Structures are given as structure tokens and as C-alpha cells.
Amino acid sequence: MAAEVWCYSLLYCLFTLIVLYPPDEVVSAGLTVEALLGSWLGSQLSGFIQYHVRRTAATLVVHSLLLPGYFIMLFNTQPWVMDWANSKIHPNAVMFLVVCSVAPVIMVAILVAYWRQNNWKNHPLCRTLALYAQNDVLSPNAWVTVASNVNTEFRRVDKFSTKVNSVCCVVATDSWLMKVMAYRVHLTHQRDAVLSLEGSFDQRFISHNSSMDTQLLTICVNSIKEGISPFYIRLTSIEYTELERKIVNPVVNAREVVIKQSLSDRFLSAFSEAVSENPKVALLEEQDMCIGCMAVKADVKLQRRCGTTTAEGGGGCVTCYCRPMWCLTCLGKWFAARQDQDQPEVWLSSRAPCPTCRSAFCILDVCIISEEN
């Protein structure tokens, strides 16, 4: 019978770990606290702040029930354990265990009830938002206006959002930087945020068909506003590059951490360097904006210079008559996306179809448009 108790305890420990840190399979199956209580929690898109205020409270309550749930199921399935504990350990051993398991539930219930008073005014996230309120900070609804601004920015499609693990994600909107965790949401305004790169380490991710080394960066986020506690976020080097485009203040790299470029970034550097050696072309007509990024003018034109024929090159380059519509960066990304991802060493010597007319071209055919006519 003791073996059954050990087996039951081991299974319940595994169940507890799955509840605390749900794997992707459990999340996909909808067996998380957020999914099971979705009708009460609502949607992040309709109210990001209100959703996470309720979610953190519900998660805390559910997790506090895990320990008493263990003893209830143990005593129901193995009633002899109660008699053994009272006779071998202490006459009141079972009562002591019950009190110890129920005490956290009572404390969590009191804490959530305290948070819930005055329209969740006492919730840590609401108190943080109240610090940014223009009206009376002591008002129960001081945080509502700031929350409305956060909700509006979160609904925008241009926000930065990445999932660090199953219980943590990082979100950066136009004005706010947030770290969402199981029991808490750290939040600071971007104009007050001071980001410093603290360190990095390499981690190997292995999948069923490939393996790759990924650099993980640790960033400390401090706020110059009084009352906002600092927090740490961890991102890959690729996500770090995307975050830099969204944040307002630059990241301080006082420790001189070397950030490794991604394969795509390294290729773009080599692609730009190779294209810069090609002769430039002059155009009389006005250049349009790049249709890929719509941020800069189209500054490259495909002009056949490669002498490879179809018989020599197994496809060969084709003359392209399209007007310039792409910038060098977007064309380089297009070129890399059309290559064999398992053989990056041959990308520079390969060909790709024109994004517009599908005429094959190589790097020798990419010419930068001269600013002088």
C-alpha cells in the first residue's frame, strides 16, 4: 500500500508541475486556468488590463488549492494513511497537515478580497497604473483612464509581443513596456524606462529535424518614476533586435555584451557588401517608395550583368524590365527567403526570382541607383 501512496504522490507532483508550468500540448488543448475560466476572464483584446487583473487573482486562488487537493484525494483514496499518521507520528498529525494546507487558501482568499475592494483599486497592477494617473491618485478609479490607454495600444497590430515561456511574456506598445507573469504584471512607461543589458548565454534548441544555437539576453528594466519596481526580461538576440525598434530609450550595454547576429542579419550584411561592389545605375524618373517596407525609397534596380546562360547555370539569369520598386534591405530579405535554408553557405552564389515579374537574377544583377543623374 505504501507503494500506491508513493505512486499517487509522484503523479500528483507531475500534475502540479503541469498546472504551474503548462507545456505547449496542455496549452493547445485548452487545459489552463486562462482557458477554463475564459468566460469570466474575458479577452485580452477587449480589455488587456482588466483581463490580467482577474487572471492573476484567479491563478493565485487555483494554485493555492493544489496542496489541500492533494491531501483530500490522498485521504479519500488511501484512508489508512490517516490512522497510520495519527498512531505513528502524532495523535494530531492529520489535523496539523489539514490546517497547514488550508492556511494558504485562507490567506489567498483574504488577499484577493482585499484586491477586489473599490473596483480592484488595491491590486498591484492597478496601484502601478494609478501612479501614472493625472487625476487624484487616491480615487478608486484613478487607474481606469491609464488602463484604457494601455488597452488601446495593446489592440494595435504593430506592438511587440513575445512569449518567453508558458507563464511569461513580454509586451512593448508605443508607450508601455510590460512583463506578464503568472501572479503579477510588471509595467512601466517607456519614457521612464532605463534598459540595461546585464548578460547573455547560449542555449541549444533541438528539434526533430535540426538544431540551432540561440543567444539569450538578460535585460534589466528600471524606471525613474518613484514606486515602480525594476524587473528583468529575457529575450533571444533576434527578439532583442525587434524590441529595439519598438522602445523609445536605447538599451545601455555597459557590460559590453557581444550580441550575435542572426543568420538573416549576417546575410544582409554580406548581401549589401557584395551589391556595393556592383556598378551603380542612374535613373531619370523619380523613385517611388519601397513597396516592401514603405519606409525608404526604392534604391536598387535589377539590371542583368551576369553572363551565365541557361545551359551553363541550370536556369540562368533573365533580363528584368521592372521599374525600381524595392530597397536593398527588402530585396535582400526576399533573396534569402527564396534560398535553401539548410545550405546558407551557397546563398550568395544562388539565384532568386524577381519579386514582381519572377525573372531569375543573382547578386551581380543588383545595382544601386545613383543619386546623381
Side-chain angles (χ1 to χ4, degrees):
M1 290 188 294
E4 295 179 359
V5 174
W6 282 108
C7 182
Y8 168 80
S9 301
L10 179 59
L11 291 177
Y12 197 88
C13 289
L14 294 177
F15 169 76
T16 301
L17 290 176
I18 290 175
V19 174
L20 296 178
Y21 304 99
D24 294 338
E25 293 77 9
V26 174
V27 175
S28 302
L31 299 178
T32 60
V33 175
E34 296 84 350
L36 297 176
L37 301 178
S39 58
W40 178 68
L41 296 178
S43 172
Q44 288 192 88
L45 291 178
S46 60
F48 176 81
I49 296 298
Q50 289 79 359
Y51 171 86
H52 284 287
V53 166
R54 294 189 290 264
R55 181 196 60 80
T56 50
T59 302
L60 197 58
V61 171
V62 171
H63 289 180
S64 68
L65 297 173
L66 291 173
L67 183 58
Y70 167 75
F71 288 110
I72 292 174
M73 297 184 67
L74 177 63
F75 294 150
N76 285 336
T77 57
Q78 305 292 333
W80 65 270
V81 176
M82 299 178 61
D83 300 332
W84 178 85
N86 289 328
S87 61
K88 298 295 184 179
I89 301 178
H90 193 274
N92 298 321
V94 175
M95 183 59 65
F96 176 76
L97 293 176
V98 171
V99 172
C100 290
S101 62
V102 173
V105 180
I106 297 176
M107 290 187 292
V108 167
I110 295 174
L111 178 62
V112 172
Y114 171 72
W115 286 352
R116 184 65 181 82
Q117 292 179 349
N118 297 323
N119 191 25
W120 297 98
K121 173 190 174 183
N122 299 318
H123 192 280
L125 179 57
C126 298
R127 291 205 304 266
T128 301
L129 293 173
L131 297 176
Y132 292 99
Q134 300 295 331
N135 53 353
D136 186 8
V137 177
L138 300 178
S139 174
N141 297 321
W143 61 275
V144 176
T145 303
V146 185
S148 177
N149 176 265
V150 178
N151 295 340
T152 301
E153 293 193 3
F154 182 81
R155 284 192 289 267
R156 296 173 183 170
V157 297
D158 61 341
K159 65 178 178 295
F160 169 82
S161 179
T162 181
K163 197 168 186 179
V164 180
N165 51 53
S166 60
V167 295
C168 178
C169 69
V170 177
V171 179
T173 64
D174 293 337
S175 304
W176 303 94
L177 181 61
M178 296 168 282
K179 179 184 179 181
V180 180
M181 299 188 299
Y183 308 130
R184 186 171 182 181
V185 177
H186 291 280
L187 177 144
T188 183
H189 201 281
Q190 288 213 34
R191 68 166 181 267
D192 302 328
V194 179
L195 285 74
S196 58
L197 200 56
E198 296 295 321
S200 68
F201 68 94
D202 294 338
Q203 180 172 342
R204 176 170 289 270
F205 291 92
I206 303 177
S207 61
H208 65 280
N209 56 1
S210 64
S211 62
M212 59 180 180
D213 291 325
T214 300
Q215 184 185 28
L216 296 179
L217 304 174
T218 302
I219 303 173
C220 179
V221 181
N222 291 279
S223 178
I224 61 175
K225 191 173 185 63
E226 186 178 357
I228 306 297
S229 57
F231 56 94
Y232 289 85
I233 58 178
R234 179 168 289 174
L235 303 171
T236 64
S237 56
I238 299 176
E239 294 169 339
Y240 171 78
T241 303
E242 298 176 0
L243 177 65
E244 276 192 314
R245 301 191 186 103
K246 194 63 182 177
I247 58 179
V248 176
N249 299 326
V251 180
V252 180
N253 191 2
R255 300 178 183 270
E256 297 183 353
V257 178
V258 178
I259 302 175
K260 297 180 180 178
Q261 287 185 315
S262 65
L263 177 62
S264 177
D265 292 336
R266 294 198 299 269
F267 173 76
L268 287 178
S269 299
F271 183 85
S272 301
E273 183 178 353
V275 170
S276 64
E277 298 178 359
N278 296 340
K280 297 183 178 181
V281 297
L283 295 180
L284 298 178
E285 65 268 19
E286 185 178 356
Q287 297 169 236
D288 298 327
M289 300 297 292
C290 170
I291 64 175
C293 62
M294 297 300 294
V296 297
K297 288 186 176 182
D299 57 0
V300 291
K301 177 177 174 55
L302 297 181
Q303 184 167 306
R304 183 178 178 185
R305 298 179 53 253
C306 174
T308 304
T309 63
T310 302
E312 295 172 349
C317 295
V318 180
T319 303
C320 176
Y321 298 98
C322 299
R323 61 179 302 176
M325 301 176 65
W326 301 82
C327 66
L328 180 60
T329 301
C330 291
L331 189 64
K333 293 179 180 179
W334 168 272
F335 192 94
R338 296 303 179 273
Q339 307 305 316
D340 185 354
Q341 302 302 309
D342 295 330
Q343 295 181 331
E345 64 277 2
V346 299
W347 286 6
L348 287 175
S349 59
S350 301
R351 296 181 180 82
C354 169
T356 308
C357 68
R358 300 299 187 267
S359 299
F361 72 95
C362 64
I363 291 183
L364 294 176
D365 301 329
V366 182
C367 299
I368 298 177
I369 298 176
S370 175
E371 297 181 358
E372 300 178 359
N373 292 334

